[in-house]
Amino acid sequence: MNLTEGKEKFLQSWGALGSSWGVNRTMAQIHALLMISPHALSADDVMEELKISRGNANMNIRALIDWGLVFKELRAGERKEFFVAEKDMWKVVKNIIIQRKKRELEPMIKVLDELSSVEGDDAETEEFVKTIKDIKLFSSKADSTLDTLIKADSNWFVGTFMKMIK
Amino acid sequence: MNLTEGKEKFLQSWGALGSSWGVNRTMAQIHALLMISPHALSADDVMEELKISRGNANMNIRALIDWGLVFKELRAGERKEFFVAEKDMWKVVKNIIIQRKKRELEPMIKVLDELSSVEGDDAETEEFVKTIKDIKLFSSKADSTLDTLIKADSNWFVGTFMKMIK
DNA sequence: TTGTACTTTCAGGAAGTTTTGAAAAAATCG
DNA sequence: CGATTTTTTCAAAACTTCCTGAAAGTACAA
């Protein structure tokens, strides 16, 4: 396989993977493109490589910056902005965990908290509250585990899990 | 808050959470409904509670059974089928990990393998292959870690992570 | 200040996904 | 075996999400 085919395949696969993770296809592809690029790319480069519009490129690059997965690179004497991807996979995953935890897990825990206070003494209410509390317990544990994971550095992570696996 | 409001809120929140996880809203809501129900429900019950069509209910229940998150319950003397959800959160998460690993991580590792064999000696190709190999290394580690997690039981999981957190 | 190079915004259209509902198939019963 | 109940299928409709491209906005240099 040559480089052009390889790049193409990687962009397609990474984009498809993104779709099943609540990330839109284009955003995942831009990230992929920047990851395999040896140097920073401008918005125009991204538009051309992925055959997408300026608006689309701009919005998704912005979103990637929000997630901490892509950075601006300003060059002296160049008005144009260039972009580079975070390439350390551990940092990529860590940022995704941080963002999704904040956007999804934490609000859910808050809702579960409110729901634990549902009143009533019939079987259905009891079952409901019991189930909610179970889910909340599990979610809170997951939450602290993720906090620990976030604080830990890559080597620690790999080391610990390698021991677990062996 | 009373039971009806609580149920409604839980169904909404769980459904919304599903959307950001590549699970469709209705599938997540059916799962939520069955989790908080003290007894098995029929397709008609699900249709009525969630105000959805027969076809929609049937397709999503089917998908949930595929994922191992819902089971059929047959009753002697009843022609109708009833459904119950897996309520042990650890098992729920474990099943989701198993399915997504199979559907997403494993195919991606296969693609990355193919991409490691891209040929060429310019800087761009080298960078490409290097990045792919990094991603593959990380993915393979994640893969084995998940295998370990799947084999482990709930207590072990909680125990180990609780130690990590302390 | 004005011209230029670039970035951001957003309404409307395109593409993709989910839902419906009716018809077909399957299962069960007398 | 019908008759009846329940489940499954699937084309079309409804809905949602994403993308385009043109216009507006911003920053900078001269």
Side-chain angles (χ1 to χ4, degrees):
Chain A
M1 196 184 297
N2 67 29
L3 181 59
T4 313
E5 289 164 350
K7 274 168 74 172
E8 182 59 24
K9 185 154 194 175
F10 181 63
L11 295 180
Q12 293 313 326
S13 309
W14 204 253
L17 189 67
S19 320
S20 28
W21 278 86
V23 174
N24 85 49
R25 184 181 189 72
T26 307
M27 187 166 153
Q29 287 188 332
I30 295 176
H31 181 236
L33 177 64
L34 292 175
M35 280 208 297
I36 58 178
S37 169
H39 49 78
L41 300 182
S42 69
D44 289 271
D45 296 334
V46 171
M47 285 165 60
E48 194 185 339
E49 292 264 6
L50 300 177
K51 309 270 189 299
I52 59 175
S53 72
R54 185 170 297 285
N56 196 8
N58 181 71
M59 301 234 287
N60 283 299
I61 289 172
R62 224 108 300 272
L64 285 165
I65 291 175
D66 261 13
W67 282 69
L69 299 178
V70 162
F71 311 100
K72 271 189 195 177
E73 187 182 285
L74 297 173
R75 290 184 189 168
E78 281 260 38
R79 197 176 292 180
K80 209 180 271 194
E81 292 177 329
F82 290 81
F83 305 97
V84 260
E86 173 59 66
K87 294 194 183 189
D88 176 335
M89 277 304 281
W90 169 243
K91 285 191 187 159
V92 169
V93 169
K94 197 158 122 177
N95 281 344
I96 293 172
I97 292 174
I98 291 171
Q99 297 293 331
R100 300 198 69 161
K101 180 169 124 56
K102 191 165 67 197
R103 289 165 205 220
E104 295 158 26
L105 187 55
E106 289 167 13
M108 181 46 86
I109 289 176
K110 201 155 150 284
V111 169
L112 291 169
D113 242 340
E114 290 167 42
L115 294 177
S116 306
S117 68
V118 165
E119 303 278 344
D121 51 10
D122 53 308
E124 210 184 346
T125 304
E126 270 170 37
E127 177 81 12
F128 178 78
V129 172
K130 184 180 168 304
T131 306
I132 295 293
K133 285 189 174 161
D134 267 12
I135 298 174
K136 195 183 158 244
L137 183 63
F138 188 87
S139 307
S140 303
K141 275 179 189 163
D143 194 53
S144 354
T145 304
L146 291 176
D147 279 340
T148 310
L149 225 53
I150 289 166
K151 271 184 245 131
D153 73 27
S154 161
N155 289 334
W156 177 89
F157 167 72
V158 171
T160 303
F161 277 107
M162 277 337 219
K163 252 180 266 157
M164 281 166 56
I165 291 158
K166 204 173 54 205
Chain B
M1 195 183 299
N2 67 31
L3 181 60
T4 313
E5 290 165 351
K7 273 168 75 172
E8 182 58 24
K9 184 155 194 175
F10 182 62
L11 296 179
Q12 292 313 326
S13 308
W14 203 253
L17 190 66
S19 318
S20 28
W21 279 86
V23 175
N24 87 50
R25 182 182 191 71
T26 307
M27 187 166 153
Q29 287 189 333
I30 295 176
H31 182 236
L33 177 64
L34 292 176
M35 280 208 296
I36 59 178
S37 169
H39 48 80
L41 301 182
S42 69
D44 289 271
D45 296 333
V46 170
M47 286 165 60
E48 194 186 338
E49 292 264 7
L50 299 177
K51 311 267 188 301
I52 59 176
S53 72
R54 184 170 300 284
N56 196 7
N58 180 72
M59 300 235 288
N60 284 298
I61 289 171
R62 202 119 269 292
L64 284 164
I65 291 174
D66 261 12
W67 282 68
L69 300 177
V70 162
F71 312 101
K72 271 188 195 179
E73 187 184 285
L74 297 174
R75 290 184 188 168
E78 281 261 38
R79 198 179 288 181
K80 211 180 269 195
E81 292 177 328
F82 291 80
F83 306 97
V84 260
E86 174 58 67
K87 295 194 182 188
D88 176 336
M89 278 303 282
W90 169 243
K91 285 191 188 158
V92 168
V93 170
K94 197 158 120 176
N95 281 346
I96 293 173
I97 292 174
I98 291 170
Q99 296 294 332
R100 299 198 69 160
K101 180 168 125 55
K102 190 165 68 196
R103 290 166 204 217
E104 295 159 25
L105 187 55
E106 288 167 14
M108 180 47 85
I109 290 176
K110 201 155 150 283
V111 169
L112 291 170
D113 243 340
E114 291 167 44
L115 293 177
S116 306
S117 68
V118 165
E119 302 278 344
D121 50 11
D122 53 308
E124 210 184 346
T125 304
E126 270 171 37
E127 177 82 12
F128 179 78
V129 172
K130 183 178 168 303
T131 306
I132 295 294
K133 285 190 173 160
D134 268 13
I135 298 174
K136 192 180 162 249
L137 183 62
F138 188 88
S139 309
S140 304
K141 276 180 188 163
D143 194 53
S144 351
T145 303
L146 292 177
D147 279 340
T148 309
L149 226 52
I150 290 165
K151 270 183 247 131
D153 74 25
S154 162
N155 289 334
W156 177 92
F157 168 71
V158 171
T160 303
F161 278 107
M162 279 330 205
K163 253 181 268 160
M164 282 167 54
I165 289 159
K166 205 175 53 200

